[in-house]
Amino acid sequence: MNTKYAFRKYLLVFLPVIMIYSCKKSDKGFLDKTDVGQMNQNTVFADSLLTFQFLNGVYADLPTTYYMDNGVTGGGLWSYSDASDDSECRWSGTTAQAAPAFNLAQFASLADFSRFKNHWNSAFTNIRRVNVFLGNVDRSPISAGRKLKLKGEARFLRAYYYYHLLRNYSGLPLLGDRLFGLTDDFNLPRSSFAETVSYISAELDACSGILPLTQLPEDYGRPTKGAAMALKSRLLLLAASPLFNGENPSTGGEQKKLAGYENFDANRWKLAADAAKAVMDLNLYQLVEDNTTAKGYGFYKTLTDRKNSEQIFQIMMKTGRWYEGYLLPVTRGGQAYSYPTQSLVDAYPMANGKMKDEAGSGYSESDMYKNRDPRFGYTILYNQATWLDKTTNKPTPVNLYFQAAGDGLGTSNSTRTGYLFRKFCNENAGGNYGVTSDIGLVSLRYAEILLNYAEAENEFQGPGAQVYAAVEAIRRRAGLDPYQLPGGLTKDDMRQVIRNERRVEFAFEEAHRFFDVKRWKIAEKVLNGDAIGMRWVKNGNAYTGTRFAFETRVFLSPQMYYFPIPQSEINKSSLLIQNPGW
């Protein structure tokens, strides 16, 4: 064997069972051959329990892909969101974490930066695991109906991993159902962006024809027909967006086909609108609304309930206080890992639906948190906002003002921006006390479908009544009063409304903002320059606030619109073409 490939084998260990879903990171890439012993395959797929557990191993890696390359620990939870203009991560001084490396354009080892490489390898490892499953499940002593359902789940998971790779890398090597043997040619090229989108879309169509409309309670967290259709909605919205729809920054040739479509086609917006409308027409999902308990309380509920009418697909996590433990301030038992920016704070409208600089908004810079969109209070902890205190068992003010003991700006392991996140946190818990939360990772919910539809329909044929209705449903649930938009908005006007609604509705949620500003091709405008925080200084019982720059960020175009194919993979295959700028 050529010494270049002598050690390029990835061994899937089937026994003991726990190794099936250990999800240990490997430096080996997806192009490394899989050596699966025939005896081990026979053992696993001759047993129904082991067959289920093998597929569960593919589910187990979903949190890793959802948050870059190390799940919900360390830098993973913030790798994407904190690389947007919405927030800043705790590890600002080290480029060993993805967000600061991205923000400062200081990638370690360039295209072999470990965070990129791990994400690439983890996703492709699980795609290969799905292929192993699909190639062997028919030999399992499971009923025919159950096998069909498991095949649908497996194909959904494969499409899900492919989608996450697509949004980072664009055109991908497509393995199909193929399993690589020891003597097979594995020198695969990347397929074009168009081919990759078509493949994922076709797989999701096939899944939606197999998967059930709903899952049994014991199977909640497994994909449904609606999940497949919702992921297709997200996929086609990405494909219709400026970065990929004829405006990709490649200089030409084969690289241009990989980076996006070569020409603009307005009909791609129609396809995206139709895909979102198909989910709406299922009549299975609805926004969680409750403006009686408190304004916008339905928004809070949908993000703290494990299951509700809005959730389409959730990645299941163990019951615990892990959101509270990571996000809340130190005095509330948390680790204060991620810090919203003033830019995000400014994006929230006032409670009357007007933007802060709009005439009649009622905004005051000295009292900037008063009468804001209720989603603001359910997403961000600001100076003197209250949270449950362990000692008193009552909500008490959180001191985020400059040099306040425990949580203050400028103190060790606390906020760098003057803010902390509270989204997904149960208001009856701290990081190590109170109720136990059971929310998973929210991947697809109905609010996204409504805004996907509104964006695509507006881009295709302007702000008609259905666009207004979709956006206003989100604003009504948020508790804005009035929630209605002004009549007579132009397409450009509505585009800005929709983009801002996406920002405030999905803040810190699967990094929508990070990928939105890239697909809209506005990243060089919004991700360059000073990132702003708020420094409050206490004077007696009063607070004086000053905006300040906590970091100067750099966005390099076209390099940072796409992640690099890991250089180690490029070195293995003469057919892999690198992304623009790398």
Side-chain angles (χ1 to χ4, degrees), residues 328-405:
L328 292 178
V330 173
T331 61
R332 302 309 192 271
Q335 299 180 62
Y337 268 13
S338 189
Y339 320 133
T341 62
Q342 187 63 39
S343 174
L344 175 59
V345 171
D346 290 342
Y348 286 88
M350 305 300 290
N352 61 13
K354 295 179 180 292
M355 300 305 294
K356 72 180 188 68
D357 296 328
E358 193 175 345
S361 72
Y363 175 80
S364 169
E365 181 75 0
S366 63
D367 198 7
M368 63 173 61
Y369 311 132
K370 183 179 180 181
N371 295 331
R372 299 301 290 266
D373 180 335
R375 288 173 294 188
F376 168 72
Y378 288 124
T379 302
I380 294 173
L381 273 177
Y382 52 91
N383 182 48
Q384 299 306 291
T386 61
W387 197 262
L388 183 69
D389 185 277
K390 184 176 184 179
T391 302
T392 65
N393 200 33
K394 296 179 180 179
T396 58
V398 176
N399 296 319
L400 298 180
Y401 61 86
F402 185 63
Q403 295 296 343

Side-chain angles (χ1 to χ4, degrees), residues 111-125:
D112 247 6
F113 181 48
S114 63
R115 299 301 186 193
F116 298 151
K117 184 165 61 175
N118 292 347
H119 183 69
W120 172 274
N121 290 343
S122 177
F124 269 114
T125 294

Side-chain angles (χ1 to χ4, degrees), residues 37 102 182 204 313 324 396 412 483 559:
F102 193 93
L182 291 176
L204 292 171
F313 182 62
E324 292 84 359
T396 58
S412 178
Y483 62 83
Q559 183 187 55

Side-chain angles (χ1 to χ4, degrees), residues 467-528:
V467 174
Y468 269 85
V471 178
E472 289 177 349
I474 299 290
R475 290 165 62 89
R476 183 183 65 239
R477 189 272 292 282
L480 299 180
D481 187 15
Y483 62 83
Q484 292 89 349
L485 294 169
L489 294 179
T490 66
K491 177 187 285 191
D492 289 343
D493 292 336
M494 184 61 84
R495 179 185 298 126
Q496 295 310 310
V497 168
I498 292 168
R499 289 183 176 184
N500 199 71
E501 284 297 320
R502 287 185 67 90
R503 184 177 190 182
V504 299
E505 178 74 18
F506 303 129
F508 196 62
E509 192 171 331
E510 205 179 4
H512 282 279
R513 178 66 176 175
F514 177 74
F515 291 103
D516 279 350
V517 298
K518 294 208 296 180
R519 69 180 177 86
W520 293 330
K521 209 177 177 185
I522 62 171
E524 56 261 67
K525 177 181 178 181
V526 302
L527 300 185
N528 268 322

Side-chain angles (χ1 to χ4, degrees), residues 287-299 301 378 476-477 479:
L287 298 177
V288 177
E289 290 197 55
D290 180 355
N291 286 309
T292 302
T293 302
K295 289 290 187 181
Y297 197 70
F299 174 77
K301 287 291 290 178
Y378 288 124
R476 183 183 65 239
R477 189 272 292 282

Side-chain angles (χ1 to χ4, degrees), residues 203-420:
E203 282 294 291
L204 292 171
D205 284 342
C207 293
S208 67
I210 297 171
L211 292 170
L213 284 172
T214 59
Q215 292 282 5
L216 296 172
E218 59 267 28
D219 286 335
Y220 183 66
R222 296 181 184 273
T224 60
K225 177 184 182 74
M229 295 170 67
L231 185 57
K232 180 179 177 180
S233 165
R234 184 185 288 180
L235 168 73
L236 296 187
L237 187 75
L238 181 84
S241 300
L243 178 63
F244 304 104
N245 194 2
E247 295 184 31
N248 80 69
S250 174
T251 56
E254 286 299 311
Q255 191 183 69
K256 193 167 186 68
K257 296 179 182 178
L258 297 173
Y261 295 109
E262 295 183 88
N263 301 298
F264 171 76
D265 184 351
N267 193 58
R268 294 187 183 112
W269 286 116
K270 182 181 186 303
L271 294 175
D274 290 346
K277 188 63 163 58
V279 181
M280 295 161 66
D281 289 344
L282 287 175
N283 293 318
L284 282 174
Y285 309 105
Q286 61 183 13
L287 298 177
V288 177
E289 290 197 55
D290 180 355
N291 286 309
T292 302
T293 302
K295 289 290 187 181
Y297 197 70
F299 174 77
Y300 163 76
K301 287 291 290 178
T302 196
L303 297 170
T304 52
D305 286 343
R306 191 170 184 85
K307 183 179 181 181
N308 55 53
S309 63
E310 186 168 341
Q311 303 291 356
I312 300 176
F313 182 62
Q314 252 196 83
I315 297 171
M316 293 293 96
M317 303 292 291
K318 291 182 179 179
T319 298
R321 305 183 188 94
W322 57 274
Y323 270 124
E324 292 84 359
Y326 285 126
L327 295 178
L328 292 178
V330 173
T331 61
R332 302 309 192 271
Q335 299 180 62
Y337 268 13
S338 189
Y339 320 133
T341 62
Q342 187 63 39
S343 174
L344 175 59
V345 171
D346 290 342
Y348 286 88
M350 305 300 290
N352 61 13
K354 295 179 180 292
M355 300 305 294
K356 72 180 188 68
D357 296 328
E358 193 175 345
S361 72
Y363 175 80
S364 169
E365 181 75 0
S366 63
D367 198 7
M368 63 173 61
Y369 311 132
K370 183 179 180 181
N371 295 331
R372 299 301 290 266
D373 180 335
R375 288 173 294 188
F376 168 72
Y378 288 124
T379 302
I380 294 173
L381 273 177
Y382 52 91
N383 182 48
Q384 299 306 291
T386 61
W387 197 262
L388 183 69
D389 185 277
K390 184 176 184 179
T391 302
T392 65
N393 200 33
K394 296 179 180 179
T396 58
V398 176
N399 296 319
L400 298 180
Y401 61 86
F402 185 63
Q403 295 296 343
D407 302 323
L409 175 69
T411 59
S412 178
N413 294 328
S414 190
T415 176
R416 294 186 68 232
T417 67
Y419 301 103
L420 293 172

Side-chain angles (χ1 to χ4, degrees), residues 122-195:
S122 177
F124 269 114
T125 294
N126 283 287
I127 289 168
R128 291 172 64 95
R129 287 173 177 167
V130 168
N131 286 1
V132 170
F133 180 85
L134 292 173
N136 289 277
V137 68
D138 281 335
R139 298 193 285 112
S140 177
I142 299 173
S143 69
R146 188 65 170 172
K147 282 180 187 176
L148 181 63
K149 182 172 178 289
L150 290 177
K151 287 179 182 179
E153 291 180 25
R155 292 176 73 176
F156 173 88
L157 292 171
R158 184 171 61 184
Y160 188 91
Y161 281 111
Y162 268 125
Y163 168 77
H164 279 259
L165 286 166
L166 175 76
R167 67 178 185 169
N168 282 314
Y169 302 101
S170 198
L172 301 166
L174 297 175
L175 277 63
D177 293 331
R178 187 179 177 189
L179 287 173
F180 287 94
L182 291 176
T183 60
D184 289 343
D185 178 10
F186 48 78
N187 202 18
L188 287 178
R190 296 170 65 187
S191 296
S192 70
F193 178 82
E195 291 167 338

